[in-house]
């Protein structure tokens, strides 16, 4: 199977679906991570170019930890909009990955517009990836990928439909997340008033209690025709 | 795996999850059907005892078609209430089946109170089946079964979370349903203004279009602790 | 009464509300169909200009079958965005039709962004059509139209509030749909894995079972002030 | 047409659907009001028998104002439960009225259990009223009535699907409500901290603003098979 | 202020609202805990009488830790039904406490019927507690208490409307919970597949992350007239 | 405390949260109103520049009545879009106000796109206001403001989570609203078919009945991390 996580910022994949990606990867699936923005505002004092550069390196290392290949779209952090340029860029990346399943941000989340736009766009272009008359560098996909929405930050407002047991891949998730040095040490904790590493582990434990395993990640399946699927494509 | 469909009336299992039960059965799982009421009001002219007797026979034949074992609780049709007697009877039947998964009516359906009460009770007693201090003829289960809610009649108000592809078992479903001669010929069509056989097939086709297969049945997973599950127990 | 269906692509009106439009039309109401995009990506091998040209012809013929007048906005297929140009174009068309009621796509659908944008915009501009200080070629409407949202494709995620009995107009719906030769023969079936003609008929039958008639179409009324209405404007 | 309002307490019909009943009545429909409980706790100092007796008289006068016939089931106020006795009594009353449409309490309301039980039961027994093998004094109905749920008290938690314009029948509603002298003068105002007459008028005005008329009452259609209906049965 | 937690089993108050009760208590409010069932099935090997006796003692100690007074209704564990006896018993207890606010189980939870019945009843009888014609040992309350629903077990399906910061009372919560020796050591962990103490702490931490404090408990306000309140009654 | 109402048009703050702002103001909080559009289409015959000029003056007077400071963003009425320019302008205004709490339009409302865009943007940029790498004229905020969504027009589709008692500030609300002479006399009444002054008072009375006070305004708290809050920031 081929799996693509479409995320807004360089650390979102690790925070929200790192365990699931590691699990896909460990069982032999091909895993891809596409990051729509360059994360350039993610530091209190560094210049934006520097932040973007460091974060791309961190994202590469984190993806490697998860056995995933990284695609960096590089749009401006906090100013991602749904327009022809971004839509085509996303179609092109999806066509390069030819995923059976896309994991992306839940459009119902009120956390951050880059998340909402990425999740909405990833869902919206899923059919377009197979349409020959939409031309990009990469050729059309042969089948329409199925879309699952990832949990929200701290699970706010999110009631999972399905869970993935990540007890055996939590370590990989946390190690991958830890590669985002610029984020997980002080900055995000100052910004949000708590440790991101701890929040991520507590979230995985909480989702685990909900479904009867040690650690888990939660998902909502996109209710979108013709992207329904009998059975599940989660690992 | 062991699977139990808890239904209100003798033909509900075939109408709502016949394809799924056949699929479990064909792949070697042990399948059980428990029917809470005796269906005795289900005929326009026969006396109630006669209706109940005929319908139990029909239910036996239909279950056999699906490769399932039938449990007949025999409570009064249209007057099933949630009380100690019915609750203990249901616990006892579940303990006899020791299911990993229970398929039952969706409590949100407004169709019929026997459906609502059966679905609510099947969910409610799931934990109790493992508790030694609740004593029934059959000994306690060793683990708490996971609960999925079946589609509503004609899908009214129901938005499935998951689908089961029943393309290969639709025939068995329709044949099993057809065993309910007393229902599927004139009575229900008069009562409801249309052919039940046709409604069931159209429903399976519609759910199939929703998830990209020829025929399907839809489910909502009970969001109930500690009956969550990572992955899915549907076939 | 005057009725306007605001749709994204040339065949959407027939697929989703063809029976309702035919019914309005047959009872003497004035019926209009506005199509926001040119449908140009809707063929696997033809050039886009050719696809758009053919589809406009097909849409004209289909509208004629339904007794409706067609408005072709011609925006680019799959790349419709909500901006001043599209908003004013839509206001202008609505002002030409002066509808009492608008039928449009349900913004909650995750199927396709052209659908979501068209439905959201048609709802959003409804009040603006009466405002003199918003100037378009056509003069302002005298009253704010009421908005109903049409069913989603294959009914995914959609729970109708109201139904229209189309048993007597299903034929017209199917004939009108059949005018979209470029779509209903192979292309869409390949794209979506099933026959569109069959899906549309099964959907009408399913919605019919839900409300007790042979064939029906389902709607959700926009909960939007001051576009509420006592009673209903559906036929 | 034949219309039945199934209410919990003697003044509920006037408070919640008095304008709609008057409108049905004025256009020539046959209107019935069934009250499940005797309202006996509805006074701070009178003995229960006295309260029940006075309230039945008030209900008769109020029903007469609305052109409706009253059915008094007389179950104990605040202690109505769903059991065989109450269910059969309600079936019997519905069979006497043979309604095309039933207006009853919304089961989602958290206001009072008599309301919830009455609304749930009125919905639940709708099909049973046509079943010959369920025997009551009155013979079976020939068709299953359609169910609409009435607004909640002060509209708490209730989002109407449909509205009825009661501008021309508000007077009748208020006069009918005023017949409940024992309730609308001091008792309820003390109990609830405000004038019931005022609350009812403000509610009608508010629902009117929502749908563009002077006064209105709001409804949610029961999403219940086979009680769906194409079009609407509201006046 | 006077606060009553209405819970189903002897340890529910500590698990779900122990921190909030401790906080009320610490700031000088009068706090009461009413437990509807005797918890007698809560042990794998002891006889039921013994379990009930031990758990009542544990509940007394736990309540003392929280500065709360305990009311023990003693109905049969797992077989609590909503009937005249239980309803009057609950009214009587509430009248003894005369609470401004009641915290009780969320009726939407699918975990356990004792929870659902307790929560539904506590909400349902809130108005009745002030009605003189409903006679119990304790005299009527003077005002209707406001109802808040507590979190579900492991937060399944529950999206809080409001949070209480329990960072300063988590210790009291955990110590109170620990008094339930018969539950928190082996039994519940075996039954549910994890440590209850750990689940409770993780839940408090997770709810804390959601609202920006170290530890929190979440609530949904009952949308029930006339129990609305401007502002909040949570501490 | 510092409070900012982010509204789309010059009279929205008075219509939707005038009582709440007055209440904040009276108890000594610093209150700000930001208006995103210039309201220029809000007159049937005046030229747009004139309308905008008059409405800004009216807004200044109305804000003064509420003890609030006005920020006028001046974007084009009915054509507000979410883009870099508008987003930065809104960030800049919020940074000038440094609010603890933002009251803004509910994104779920279908009334008007300026409302939806303003509400969505105000929520979306809340975190960005604290980020140093997003540079505006005003320096970054030190903490992320908490967001509450205001009622919809006529309460359509809106179920409040929380209420503010405005009985003591209704007069100020109505006087402030009355400053919008250009709107509240004829124009809006013609446009919407009823008196805005009356609709606003009826709405306040209705929300008051829902929560047990004479007049109230209703709110839904944004379920958005990390903008959750223990307790409430409403007055």
């Amino acid at each position: 199977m081929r799996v693509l996580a479409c995320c807004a910022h360089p650390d979102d994949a690790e925070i929200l679906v790192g365990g699931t990606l590691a699990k896909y990867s460990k069982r032999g699936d091909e895993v891809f991570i596409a990051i729509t923005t360059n994360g350039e505002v993610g530091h209190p004092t560094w210049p934006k170019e520097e932040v973007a550069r460091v974060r791309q390196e961190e994202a590469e290392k984190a993806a490697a930890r998860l056995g995933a290949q990284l695609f960096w779209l590089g749009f401006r952090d906090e100013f991602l909009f749904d327009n022809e340029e971004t839509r085509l860029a996303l179609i092109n990346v999806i066509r390069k990955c030819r995923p059976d399943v896309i994991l992306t941000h839940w459009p119902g989340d009120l956390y951050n517009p880059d998340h909402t736009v990425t999740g909405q766009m990833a869902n919206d272009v899923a059919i377009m990836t197979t349409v020959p008359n939409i031309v990009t560098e990469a050729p059309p996909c042969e089948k329409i990928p199925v879309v699952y929405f990832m949990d929200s930050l701290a699970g706010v407002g999110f009631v999972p439909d399905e869970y993935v047991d990540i007890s055996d891949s939590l370590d990989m998730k946390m190690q991958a997340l830890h590669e985002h040095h610029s984020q997980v040490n002080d900055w995000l904790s100052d910004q949000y008033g708590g440790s991101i590493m701890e929040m991520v582990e507590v979230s995985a434990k909480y989702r685990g209690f909900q479904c009867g395993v040690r650690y888990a990640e939660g998902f909502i399946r996109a209710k979108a025709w013709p992207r329904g699927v009998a059975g599940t494509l989660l690992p």
Side-chain angles (χ1 to χ4, degrees), chain A residues 18 41 53-54 74 141 179 205:
Chain A
V41 312
R53 194 188 53 72
V54 168
C141 293
E179 295 291 356
K205 219 180 249 181

Side-chain angles (χ1 to χ4, degrees), chain A residues 160-180:
Chain A
D161 283 344
E162 298 188 47
Y163 295 91
V164 172
D165 180 356
I166 62 162
S167 305
D168 291 343
S169 57
L170 182 82
D171 283 354
M172 284 174 68
K173 174 188 173 90
M174 298 309 289
Q175 287 159 11
L177 176 57
H178 196 257
E179 295 291 356
H180 296 277

Side-chain angles (χ1 to χ4, degrees), chain A residues 10-176:
Chain A
D11 51 356
D12 286 327
E14 288 73 32
I15 291 174
L16 297 171
V17 289
T20 299
L21 295 183
K23 189 171 188 178
Y24 275 121
S25 181
K26 283 167 73 173
R27 75 176 198 190
D29 296 320
E30 293 218 50
V31 178
F32 307 89
I33 297 172
I35 300 173
T36 52
T37 79
N38 60 10
E40 71 188 1
V41 312
H43 198 276
T45 55
W46 300 352
K48 290 198 279 191
E49 300 68 26
E50 176 72 3
V51 185
R53 194 188 53 72
V54 168
R55 296 194 71 179
Q56 185 170 3
E57 288 173 15
E58 292 173 348
E60 290 284 2
K61 287 181 192 153
R65 291 268 189 190
L66 298 173
Q69 183 180 344
L70 186 76
F71 287 88
W72 184 263
L73 280 85
F75 290 106
R76 288 181 49 221
D77 191 9
E78 307 304 302
F79 293 97
L80 179 70
F81 297 100
D82 179 13
N83 56 38
E84 183 168 353
E85 181 194 4
T86 52
R87 216 179 260 186
L88 284 172
L90 191 53
I91 291 171
N92 192 39
V93 161
I94 297 175
R95 285 173 168 179
K96 286 181 183 165
C97 302
R98 289 174 291 117
D100 297 280
V101 58
I102 291 176
L103 313 180
T104 192
H105 296 291
W106 177 48
D109 192 7
L110 291 170
Y111 164 63
N112 179 280
D114 292 345
H115 284 227
T116 322
V117 168
T118 299
Q120 187 69 51
M121 278 178 56
N123 174 74
D124 284 355
V125 303
I127 299 176
M128 299 179 201
T129 61
T130 67
V131 173
N133 263 333
I134 299 174
V135 178
T136 59
E137 175 204 341
C141 293
E142 296 198 348
K143 58 183 245 195
I144 301 169
V146 171
V147 176
Y148 285 82
F149 297 125
M150 316 182 298
D151 208 333
S152 63
L153 267 292
V156 171
F158 192 92
V159 177
D161 283 344
E162 298 188 47
Y163 295 91
V164 172
D165 180 356
I166 62 162
S167 305
D168 291 343
S169 57
L170 182 82
D171 283 354
M172 284 174 68
K173 174 188 173 90
M174 298 309 289
Q175 287 159 11

